[in-house]
């Protein structure tokens, strides 16, 4: 729980916009996941893409989490934060030769292979390094996760994984290869999933394939069931973790595989907020805007997916500015407002048409459930510097990322063209 008092204090101390995370809340989510799956050998490989701050990762490493990575730099982050290499896995449709080589050198648990060509690349790179490449194949089960189309990944029209038949042929090939060691199977059908039925349907399809492979004496050790468990942003009904885990165990049908889960959003989403200050309000005829100092570069989700994050207002500034008669708006106060940032795009909004009491410059606007895909998707668009991040652990605050400044922004650029 992050209280209003601490929000006000942190806003004063570190300025805004600012991300604040509740690490104890994060720990509870990890423990909840582990409890749900405790009947079986399982590894929680936290999906770094949701939020890859190093302090967060090292906190998760101490809770025995591993990492699900989608780039070689995420693999390096996970290792740097102390996640053991045998709990790190690496997925992604476009790994380059250099990425593959580095992943093999770093000796992580396995690489999730997403195409035939990639399998062949891994084999030839492993051969050149005289190394054994542990792999798992990402199967695309062609099941609709019923989520936003941008974050749906398990349909044949999505770029991820390979179909069942291709996967089977790839396993047979890998099993006969001197340098490929197929030890796992993987599926992940999407994110912010609110009904577990499509996950169970996918699990059943994938497990059918595992039985088919067993008949061919291809004996896998791991089933990686991906992430995707949705959270409450407003009033969503979410999946019960215990029944989810039970469903997976049932689908396994007696198979003795270790389960890998890759939750991201579920762990951090509800445990982070983005706090910002009102710069001022304005009316365009009968449209009210509340302009704040956070923008789409800090939290892209509303602009990109029309995602809805609950908004809270903390009144700070009690000195209302008296507007001269000449400049007064003809409108009475309008209850509904768009909460927007300073960026030069009409898509730059954090909330649309929400009820909002009158705000004054300096008041705080809190954007809730911003812990996942918030900072990690932030950018420097409009030459805005990235936010600072603060963690609250056992009631104590810790700055876990400094606010960027102008010097950071231009550090890699060359101001002169030369002679
Ligand atoms: N595993 C794989 C292979 C994934 O692609 C993802 C997310 C996860 C695990 C973690 O999924 P989660 O448990 O967080 O749902 N930027 C979007 C979400 C993109 C998710 C991409 N993959 C958003 O802000 O909603």
């Amino acid at each position: 729980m992050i209280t209003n008092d601490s929000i006000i204090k942190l806003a004063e101390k570190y300025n805004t916009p600012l991300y604040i995370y509740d690490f104890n809340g994060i720990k509870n989510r990890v423990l909840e996941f582990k409890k749900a799956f405790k009947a079986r050998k399982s590894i929680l490989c936290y999906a770094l893409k949701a939020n890859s701050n190093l302090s967060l990762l090292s906190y998760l490493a101490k809770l025995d989490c591993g990492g699900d990575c989608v780039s070689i730099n995420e693999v390096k982050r996970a290792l740097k934060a102390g996640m053991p290499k045998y709990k790190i896995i690496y997925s992604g449709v476009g790994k380059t030769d250099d990425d593959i080589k580095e992943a093999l050198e770093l000796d992580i648990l396995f690489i999730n292979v997403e195409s035939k060509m990639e399998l062949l690349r891994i084999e030839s790179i492993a051969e050149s390094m005289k190394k054994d490449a542990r792999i798992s194949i990402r199967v695309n089960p062609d099941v609709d996760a019923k989520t936003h189309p941008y974050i749906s990944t398990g349909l044949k029209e999505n770029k991820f994984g390979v179909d069942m038949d291709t996967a089977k042929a790839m396993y047979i090939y890998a099993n006969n290869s001197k340098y490929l060691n197929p030890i796992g199977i993987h599926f992940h059908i999407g994110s912010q999933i609110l009904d577990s039925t499509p996950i169970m349907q996918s699990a059943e399809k994938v497990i059918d394939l595992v039985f088919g492979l067993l008949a061919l004496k291809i004996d896998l050790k791991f089933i990686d069931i991906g992430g995707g468990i949705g959270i409450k942003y407003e009033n969503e009904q979410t999946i019960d973790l215990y029944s989810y885990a039970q469903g997976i165990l049932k689908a396994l049908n007696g198979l003795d595989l270790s389960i890998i889960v890759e939750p991201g959003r579920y762990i951090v989403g509800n445990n982070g907020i983005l706090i910002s200050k009102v710069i001022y309000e304005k009316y365009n005829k009968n449209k009210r805007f509340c302009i704040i100092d956070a923008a789409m570069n800090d939290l892209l989700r509303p602009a990109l997916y029309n995602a809805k994050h609950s908004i809270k207002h903390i009144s700070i500034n009690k000195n209302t500015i008296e507007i001269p008669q000449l400049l007064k708006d003809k409108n009475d106060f309008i209850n509904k407002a768009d909460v927007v940032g300073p960026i030069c795009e009409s898509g730059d909004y954090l909330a649309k048409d929400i009820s909002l009491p009158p705000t004054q410059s300096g008041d705080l606007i809190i954007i809730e459930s911003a812990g996942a895909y918030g900072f990690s998707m932030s950018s420097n668009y409009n030459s805005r510097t990235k936010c600072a991040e603060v963690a609250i652990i056992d009631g104590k605050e810790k700055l876990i990322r400094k606010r960027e400044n102008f010097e950071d922004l231009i550090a890699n650029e060359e101001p002169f063209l030369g002679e």
Side-chain angles (χ1 to χ4, degrees):
M1 259 294 280
I2 306 168
T3 61
N4 281 4
D5 277 355
S6 59
I7 291 173
I8 295 169
K9 273 194 209 121
L10 293 172
E12 265 171 28
K13 183 163 173 186
Y14 297 106
N15 211 346
T16 55
L18 175 74
Y19 274 100
I20 308 177
Y21 307 112
D22 171 6
F23 273 30
N24 294 79
I26 289 171
K27 180 177 176 180
N28 289 340
R29 288 288 171 105
V30 168
L31 297 180
E32 243 180 79
F33 234 100
K34 293 202 164 191
K35 190 167 161 207
F37 282 93
K38 76 169 187 296
R40 277 303 264 276
K41 282 172 286 178
S42 63
I43 311 179
L44 194 165
C45 288
Y46 164 74
L48 269 73
K49 54 183 85 68
N51 187 327
S52 57
N53 181 286
L54 281 178
S55 293
L56 168 68
L57 300 183
S58 65
Y59 185 75
L60 292 172
K62 290 198 185 85
L63 295 170
D64 286 332
C65 294
D68 158 47
C69 304
V70 72
S71 70
I72 197 70
N73 285 338
E74 283 194 351
V75 171
K76 291 189 207 166
R77 271 182 185 270
L79 288 167
K80 189 164 181 72
M83 288 175 170
K85 62 183 184 182
Y86 57 86
K87 286 189 183 171
I88 294 175
I89 54 184
Y90 178 21
S91 314
V93 293
K95 305 177 196 84
T96 64
D97 288 3
D98 287 346
D99 295 337
I100 294 168
K101 186 161 182 278
E102 229 175 321
L104 293 177
E105 271 161 4
L106 293 171
D107 202 29
I108 57 175
L109 178 58
F110 58 71
I111 299 176
N112 271 320
V113 183
E114 305 232 13
S115 65
K116 290 187 262 189
M117 289 311 290
E118 189 188 15
L119 186 74
L120 299 178
R121 291 309 297 158
I122 295 175
E123 183 185 39
S124 78
I125 293 168
E127 180 173 7
S128 69
M129 295 169 73
K130 300 278 165 288
K131 267 206 141 183
D132 187 39
R134 287 181 298 276
I135 57 139
S136 152
I137 292 173
R138 179 166 180 177
V139 176
N140 182 328
D142 197 20
V143 171
D144 187 354
K146 302 204 167 58
T147 183
H148 190 286
Y150 287 10
I151 52 177
S152 178
T153 53
L155 285 168
K156 63 176 185 300
E157 55 264 38
N158 303 133
K159 67 181 173 182
F160 301 95
V162 296
D163 64 76
M164 298 286 170
D165 295 337
T166 306
K168 188 169 177 181
M170 284 165 69
Y171 276 112
I172 297 171
Y173 179 87
N175 201 46
N176 289 327
S177 159
K178 197 167 156 207
Y179 294 99
L180 296 170
N181 180 8
I183 61 168
I185 191 159
H186 171 47
F187 69 93
H188 169 85
I189 59 168
S191 193
Q192 185 54 13
I193 299 174
L194 295 169
D195 171 9
S196 62
T197 316
I199 304 182
M200 296 313 150
Q201 285 166 350
S202 309
E204 280 162 20
K205 283 189 168 187
V206 167
I207 286 158
D208 260 1
L209 175 58
V210 176
F211 276 110
L213 295 173
L214 255 185
L216 298 170
K217 305 229 166 0
I218 302 175
D219 192 7
L220 303 179
K221 305 263 174 305
F222 296 94
I223 179 162
D224 171 358
I225 62 170
I229 303 299
I231 60 168
K232 206 180 253 211
Y233 283 99
E234 291 186 307
N235 304 309
E236 297 89 339
Q237 274 291 332
T238 52
I239 293 173
D240 171 60
L241 268 198
Y242 182 75
S243 354
Y244 163 68
Q246 286 305 307
I248 296 288
L249 295 187
K250 188 160 160 250
L252 274 176
N253 202 2
L255 271 179
D256 183 27
L257 295 175
S258 295
I259 301 171
I260 293 182
V261 284
E262 304 177 342
R265 189 188 317 263
Y266 190 83
I267 305 295
V268 287
N270 294 133
N271 290 308
I273 55 175
L274 172 60
I275 67 171
S276 63
K277 248 182 241 121
V278 174
I279 305 178
Y280 26 65
E281 288 209 4
K282 72 183 270 186
Y283 281 83
N284 279 352
K285 293 289 180 199
N286 54 357
K287 182 85 193 164
R288 176 182 165 216
F289 295 96
C290 174
I291 304 165
I292 61 173
D293 63 4
M296 66 192 279
N297 76 299
D298 302 304
L299 179 67
L300 185 61
R301 304 193 70 258
L304 189 58
Y305 315 113
N306 195 20
K308 311 264 188 300
H309 287 254
S310 302
I311 301 272
K312 237 172 53 185
H313 163 236
I314 305 179
S315 167
I316 302 282
N317 190 350
K318 306 279 186 277
N319 310 318
T320 54
I321 298 167
E322 205 37 63
I323 299 176
Q325 194 55 38
L326 176 69
L327 295 178
K328 272 218 165 109
D329 276 304
K330 289 188 192 68
N331 295 309
D332 290 334
F333 166 71
I334 298 174
N335 172 45
K336 295 256 168 118
D338 285 5
V339 178
V340 300
I343 279 182
C344 60
E345 300 216 16
S346 296
D348 176 27
Y349 68 92
L350 286 310
K352 262 202 167 138
D353 245 1
I354 57 160
S355 298
L356 191 70
T359 67
Q360 300 294 326
S361 303
D363 283 358
L364 293 175
I365 294 287
I366 318 303
I367 301 153
E368 301 198 293
S369 299
Y373 307 107
F375 188 91
S376 63
M377 290 174 75
S378 66
S379 76
N380 291 115
Y381 187 38
N382 280 201
S383 282
R384 287 170 54 87
T385 50
K386 288 193 189 172
C387 295
E389 295 177 285
V390 169
I392 303 192
I393 313 169
D394 301 331
K396 294 199 189 72
E397 83 197 46
K398 184 175 182 294
L399 180 67
I400 58 171
R401 192 184 212 270
K402 284 195 292 194
R403 183 177 301 286
E404 283 181 357
N405 58 28
F406 179 69
E407 294 309 318
D408 299 324
L409 193 66
I410 59 165
N412 294 325
E413 294 178 41
E414 193 49 68
F416 305 109
L417 283 175
E419 297 303 301

